């Protein structure tokens, strides 16, 4: 009641024209820069300039928060420990703390920054939601670091737009982003050509883009975001993904504020929304995540319309036409560049890039059959080119589908299909208990597949189900599980323990060459030393990329992705013999180009030294719908 009264008082003072601080204690954790190093290659940022940018951003945030809240403490991420948050109503994470547990990036594991027991209210700015929340199963994951400067699809009635800080919700009609229109068509939906949008911060200037002195915002995946009672979508944003990508949202005690601009750059509306978000987040102090998204890219059934569209001639035509358009554009720019060069005219940066590109093979249109066979060879064996059959297959079997072991493809659960009960119907658990009582092993299999419990007897299962039935819900993003809507009622550690046990009995590959890619780990790196015909040696770094994914060879300044960079590390007596020989790449419609399939980076060597040679490589893997977190790793081989 006391807190409610203070908020009402603040509103009254604001209406009367007086200023007042909201009675709230806020811990600000900084340490990242406006000059965002995550978008830059190693070594491209001056350390002095980077430190100055960190200091400037922290100063702006501290001033902003102290102006509006009664108790504010500002620290760098390196000085933060999770225990500190208990003394504050809200922690604002704008910087990365020191991890208390390192993850194995080659196995898709993330570093852990917050313990599983963390239940303090937190507002996470931009990609901090992914960085700090991944190990907890935060649904505010990294869909794309591509959030622009407008909010859209706002839930205008939500508290963050209604106080205690006044928000001017004046919108302007803006063109709907082309990627959103494309995705909508694939989903069988339609979007208006324009929609109302709220400016959160001005456009980045050309100078800011060129220098990297800007923080790009992050949107989270919408698939399954709302399938648990601990989440809410508050606003979308103008971005390079679907219209329902989450720009502002909440999962349990973790609040995602995707717009990452410095408060000094936010519009008055943007600043007020951020302040209201901090106030609103404080209401969830002491809560925790209920459903946990442990697999960030887990496939959910709300995207089945796109899966069905991908099995159509229209999809095949779309891909063929896109490839042909790209190639025609490349040939056109290349021809202009050659002509200008021959005339001695100055080339633009764009033309110079395309002039240096190696000759690309001609575009070969794939037949519908070729396309389907490559996309899903097993279904192609059954349905051939009958696109209606594919649609019917997904339509009829959707209720019985769940992700495969990797989590990225929907497959039929045969035990559930045999019962004819959808896996998101709680009657399935009742039926599974009946099967256990009848001595049928399928019952226990189903119960352990769709819950986090591991009871030995049917009586224990039935007692648990009867007690918790009124509070149970089914989550797809949380692992295709039946969970209980209570704090600490769902122990995900059982899945981790079973995964470790499965790995212990799995065959161990002899060397990296035996590793295979998948959608969870779309890039595998191996290294070797080759001896050329002339007797000289080369360090060869092989990058194997999963079908449908790519890494970045060159980047247009307007694209917010991560360029592939390599820094060599040599033992004493060994050095580079000239420049690294780079592999061929595939161009796109702008200056950005891709590495696909398997490529090799070859570094000629000279010297008689011995020891380990390493390549420190940084890259980001993306497909047509998502980008993985950037990876930095070193691949070594003994000379």
């Amino acid at each position: 009641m006391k807190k409610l009264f203070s908020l009402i008082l603040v509103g009254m003072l604001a209406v009367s024209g007086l200023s007042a601080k909201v009675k709230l204690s806020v811990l600000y954790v900084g340490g990242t820069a406006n000059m965002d190093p995550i978008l830059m290659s190693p070594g491209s940022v001056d350390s002095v300039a980077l430190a100055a940018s960190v200091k400037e951003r922290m100063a702006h945030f501290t001033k902003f928060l102290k102006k509006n809240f009664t108790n504010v403490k500002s620290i760098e991420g390196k000085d933060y420990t999770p225990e500190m948050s208990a003394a504050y109503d809200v922690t604002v994470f704008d910087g990365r703390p020191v991890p208390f547990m390192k993850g194995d990036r080659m196995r898709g594991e993330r570093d852990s920054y917050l313990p599983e027991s963390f239940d303090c209210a937190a507002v996470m700015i931009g990609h901090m939601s992914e960085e700090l929340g991944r190990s907890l199963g935060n649904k505010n994951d990294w869909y794309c670091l591509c959030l622009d400067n407008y909010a859209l699809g706002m839930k205008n009635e939500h508290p963050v737009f209604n106080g205690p800080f006044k928000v001017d919700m004046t919108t302007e009609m803006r063109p709907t982003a082309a990627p959103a229109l494309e995705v909508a068509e694939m989903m069988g939906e339609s979007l208006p050509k324009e929609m109302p949008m709220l400016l959160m911060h001005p456009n980045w200037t050309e100078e800011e883009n060129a220098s990297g002195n800007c923080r790009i915002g992050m949107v989270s995946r919408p698939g399954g975001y709302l399938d648990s009672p601990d989440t809410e979508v508050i606003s979308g944003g103008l971005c390079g993904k679907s219209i329902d990508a989450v720009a502002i949202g909440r999962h349990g005690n973790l609040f995602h504020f995707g717009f990452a601009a410095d408060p000094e750059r936010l519009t008055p509306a943007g600043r007020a929304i951020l302040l209201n978000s901090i106030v609103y987040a404080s209401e969830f102090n002491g809560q925790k995540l209920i459903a946990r998204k442990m697999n960030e890219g887990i496939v959910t059934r709300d995207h089945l319309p796109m899966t069905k569209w991908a099995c159509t001639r229209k999809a095949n035509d779309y891909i063929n036409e896109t490839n042909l358009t790209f190639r025609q554009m490349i040939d056109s720019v290349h021809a202009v560049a050659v002509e200008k060069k021959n005339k001695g005219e100055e080339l633009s940066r764009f033309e110079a890039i395309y002039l240096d590109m190696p000759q690309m093979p001609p575009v070969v249109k794939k037949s519908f059959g070729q396309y389907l066979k490559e996309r899903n060879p097993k279904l192609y064996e059954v349905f051939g080119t009958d696109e209606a059959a594919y649609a019917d297959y997904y339509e009829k079997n959707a209720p019985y589908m769940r992700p495969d072991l990797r989590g990225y493809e929907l497959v039929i659960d045969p035990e559930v299909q045999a019962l004819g009960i959808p896996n998101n119907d709680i009657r399935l658990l009742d039926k599974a208990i009946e099967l256990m009582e009848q001595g049928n092993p399928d019952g226990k299999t189903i119960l352990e597949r769709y819950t986090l419990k591991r009871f030995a007897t049917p009586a224990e299962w039935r007692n648990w189900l009867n007690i918790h039935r009124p509070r149970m819900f089914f989550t797809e993003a949380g692992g295709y599980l039946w969970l209980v809507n209570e704090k600490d009622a769902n122990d995900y550690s059982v899945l981790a323990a079973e995964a470790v046990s499965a790995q212990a009995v799995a065959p161990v590959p002899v060397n990296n060459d035996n590793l295979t890619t998948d959608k969870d780990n779309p890039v595998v790196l191996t290294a070797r030393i080759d001896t050329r015909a002339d007797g000289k040696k080369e360090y060869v770094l092989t990058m194997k990329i999963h079908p449908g994914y790519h890494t970045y060879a060159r980047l247009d300044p307007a694209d917010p992705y991560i360029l592939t960079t390599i820094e060599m590390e040599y033992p004493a007596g060994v050095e580079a013999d000239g420049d690294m020989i780079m592999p061929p790449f595939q161009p796109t419609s702008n200056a950005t180009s891709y590495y696909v399939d398997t490529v090799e980076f070859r570094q000629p060597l000279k010297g008689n030294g011995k020891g380990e040679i390493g390549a420190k490589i940084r890259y980001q893997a993306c497909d047509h719908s998502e980008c993985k977190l950037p990876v930095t790793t070193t691949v070594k081989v003994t000379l």
Side-chain angles (χ1 to χ4, degrees):
M1 181 62 70
K2 182 178 179 181
K3 181 178 178 181
L4 178 61
F5 175 77
S6 68
L7 296 184
I8 293 173
L9 178 60
V10 168
M12 293 172 61
L13 291 172
V15 170
S16 67
L18 300 176
S19 62
K21 294 182 180 182
V22 168
K23 188 177 181 181
L24 205 69
S25 59
V26 178
L27 174 63
Y28 170 73
V29 181
T32 54
N34 285 323
M35 182 184 293
D36 196 344
I38 199 167
L39 297 177
M40 301 177 183
S41 58
S44 67
V45 182
D46 178 79
S47 59
V48 175
L50 184 62
S53 183
V54 169
K55 185 176 180 180
E56 176 187 61
R57 184 176 174 92
M58 285 193 65
H60 289 170
F61 254 102
T62 302
K63 177 182 176 182
F64 171 67
L65 295 172
K66 285 187 174 181
K67 178 182 177 182
N68 294 286
F69 298 115
T70 55
N71 179 23
V72 175
K73 182 176 179 60
S74 179
I75 62 171
E76 286 196 40
K78 64 182 180 62
D79 299 320
Y80 171 81
T81 62
E83 293 76 17
M84 293 179 179
S85 292
Y88 296 88
D89 296 316
V90 184
T91 301
V92 177
F93 285 104
D94 187 44
R96 187 184 300 109
V98 177
F100 68 85
M101 183 183 299
K102 298 289 288 184
D104 185 346
R105 286 296 180 106
M106 299 303 291
R107 303 176 107 181
E109 297 174 355
R110 306 295 183 221
D111 294 344
S112 296
Y113 297 92
L114 300 173
E116 191 278 331
S117 60
F118 187 79
D119 63 356
C120 300
V123 173
M124 298 182 172
I125 307 296
H127 61 77
M128 288 299 108
S129 288
E130 166 69 32
E131 292 273 350
L132 309 187
R134 170 54 31 221
S135 64
L136 298 178
N138 185 8
K139 287 187 179 182
N140 298 312
D141 57 15
W142 183 309
Y143 188 22
C144 183
L145 197 70
C146 60
L147 178 59
D148 214 320
N149 56 338
Y150 282 91
L152 54 83
M154 296 81 70
K155 306 297 187 293
N156 287 10
E157 71 285 354
H158 195 278
V160 304
F161 302 120
N162 292 281
F165 297 93
K166 182 175 176 57
V167 182
D168 181 356
M169 294 295 289
T170 302
T171 59
E172 53 185 295
M173 295 302 294
R174 302 281 301 176
T176 304
L181 291 170
E182 288 187 1
V183 172
E185 183 178 357
M186 296 172 186
M187 293 285 288
E189 302 168 350
S190 61
L191 293 174
K193 298 299 182 183
E194 293 185 331
M195 57 179 54
M197 301 187 191
L198 179 66
L199 184 65
M200 297 292 286
H201 62 80
N203 277 321
W204 304 113
T205 65
E206 290 186 13
E207 292 76 13
E208 287 170 325
N209 275 319
S211 66
N213 195 27
C214 55
R215 283 284 296 276
I216 307 299
M218 189 191 83
V219 289
S220 298
R221 292 175 178 85
Y225 194 98
L226 293 174
D227 69 10
S228 57
D230 56 348
T231 57
E232 54 182 326
V233 174
I234 298 167
S235 178
L238 185 66
C239 66
K241 295 298 181 182
S242 57
I243 199 68
D244 52 355
V246 183
I248 304 177
R250 180 187 63 84
H251 184 193
N253 56 314
L254 307 181
F255 191 101
H256 171 58
F257 194 85
F259 297 94
D262 187 313
E264 292 280 313
R265 189 175 179 84
L266 290 173
T267 61
R271 288 193 290 269
I273 293 169
L274 175 54
L275 292 171
N276 289 338
S277 296
I278 294 170
V279 175
Y280 180 70
S282 69
E283 298 180 15
F284 301 93
N285 212 353
Q287 296 194 20
K288 290 171 65 174
L289 308 185
I290 297 174
R292 297 180 182 268
K293 189 177 185 182
M294 305 312 296
N295 183 340
E296 61 180 317
I298 189 170
V299 60
T300 53
R301 280 180 287 212
D302 48 9
H303 273 65
L304 270 177
M306 185 179 290
T307 304
K308 290 188 287 186
W309 176 86
C311 299
T312 64
R313 287 176 172 81
K314 190 173 183 179
N316 182 45
D317 291 342
Y318 171 84
I319 293 173
N320 281 331
E321 290 170 8
T322 299
N323 291 338
L324 183 61
T325 300
F326 281 175
R327 182 52 190 268
Q328 290 172 341
M329 182 277 303
I330 294 162
D331 291 344
S332 175
V333 175
H334 187 269
V336 171
V338 170
E339 182 178 358
K340 290 178 69 173
K341 181 181 180 182
N342 291 338
K343 291 180 179 180
E345 298 177 4
E346 184 178 356
L347 301 180
S348 69
R349 178 178 177 275
F350 185 76
E351 291 165 340
I353 288 174
Y354 278 85
L355 185 66
D356 292 339
M357 285 183 177
Q359 184 65 35
M360 302 298 296
V363 174
V364 178
K365 287 189 175 183
K366 292 181 180 179
S367 69
F368 187 42
Q370 288 175 307
Y371 164 73
L372 288 174
K373 188 175 183 179
E374 291 179 8
R375 189 183 185 282
N376 197 324
K378 291 184 179 179
L379 290 184
Y380 178 76
E381 290 178 5
V382 180
F383 303 128
T385 59
D386 185 353
E387 61 181 86
Y390 289 90
D392 186 62
Y393 166 81
Y394 286 111
E395 191 72 31
K396 288 183 176 179
N397 294 301
Y400 317 116
M401 284 184 159
R402 66 190 307 272
D404 60 11
L405 291 176
R406 298 172 303 173
Y408 294 98
E409 299 289 343
L410 285 174
V411 295
I412 296 173
D413 183 331
E415 287 82 11
V416 172
Q417 185 186 44
L419 296 176
I421 303 175
N423 52 21
N424 59 0
D425 186 333
I426 200 168
R427 292 182 300 132
L428 178 67
L429 303 186
D430 287 301
K431 184 63 177 179
I433 295 172
E434 288 182 21
L435 293 178
M436 277 192 73
E437 291 169 337
Q438 296 165 7
N440 188 329
D442 286 352
K444 186 176 182 181
T445 297
I446 292 171
L447 289 166
E448 293 188 351
R449 183 177 294 161
Y450 290 101
T451 75
L452 295 173
K453 295 300 179 180
R454 299 295 182 263
F455 298 121
T457 67
E460 291 174 294
W461 280 105
R462 191 169 295 285
N463 181 61
W464 170 79
L465 180 59
N466 288 338
I467 291 174
H468 297 289
R469 188 188 302 269
R471 295 174 298 284
M472 293 188 70
F473 65 95
F474 188 79
T475 171
E476 294 182 6
Y480 282 69
L481 294 168
W482 281 97
L483 302 179
V484 180
N485 184 17
E486 290 178 2
K487 181 179 178 179
D488 295 325
N490 307 289
D491 184 6
Y492 273 82
S493 67
V494 65
L495 299 182
E498 290 172 351
V500 170
S501 177
Q503 290 173 1
V505 299
V508 178
V510 176
N511 55 51
N512 285 344
D513 293 329
N514 292 332
L515 295 178
T516 58
T517 60
D518 55 37
K519 291 186 177 182
D520 195 22
N521 297 284
V523 172
V524 169
L525 301 167
T526 60
R528 68 180 189 274
I529 300 294
D530 277 359
T531 302
R532 305 187 315 197
D534 61 5
K536 292 187 176 181
K537 294 186 181 297
E538 288 183 336
Y539 173 96
V540 183
L541 176 66
T542 301
M543 173 182 279
K544 182 179 180 182
I545 305 168
H546 193 66
Y549 281 79
H550 57 263
T551 58
Y552 293 93
R554 295 183 177 179
L555 278 180
D556 187 283
D559 283 345
Y561 306 114
I562 303 301
L563 184 68
T564 301
T565 59
I566 300 175
E567 295 179 0
M568 297 300 299
E569 302 171 352
Y570 303 106
V574 179
E575 58 183 304
D577 187 9
D579 294 333
M580 178 174 285
I581 302 169
M582 307 301 285
F585 48 79
Q586 291 193 359
T588 66
S589 58
N590 58 15
T592 294
S593 54
Y594 299 154
Y595 294 128
V596 297
D597 300 325
T598 299
V599 295
E600 290 186 343
F601 304 84
R602 309 181 73 90
Q603 177 59 65
L605 306 172
K606 61 182 179 181
N608 298 316
K610 298 294 182 181
E612 284 190 328
I613 298 179
K616 183 178 181 181
I617 182 169
R618 188 169 189 256
Y619 65 87
Q620 182 177 38
C622 301
D623 68 0
H624 72 282
S625 64
E626 68 166 357
C627 284
K628 300 293 187 182
L629 275 173
V631 172
T632 301
T633 189
T634 300
V635 185
K636 296 182 178 181
V637 66
T638 301
L639 183 64

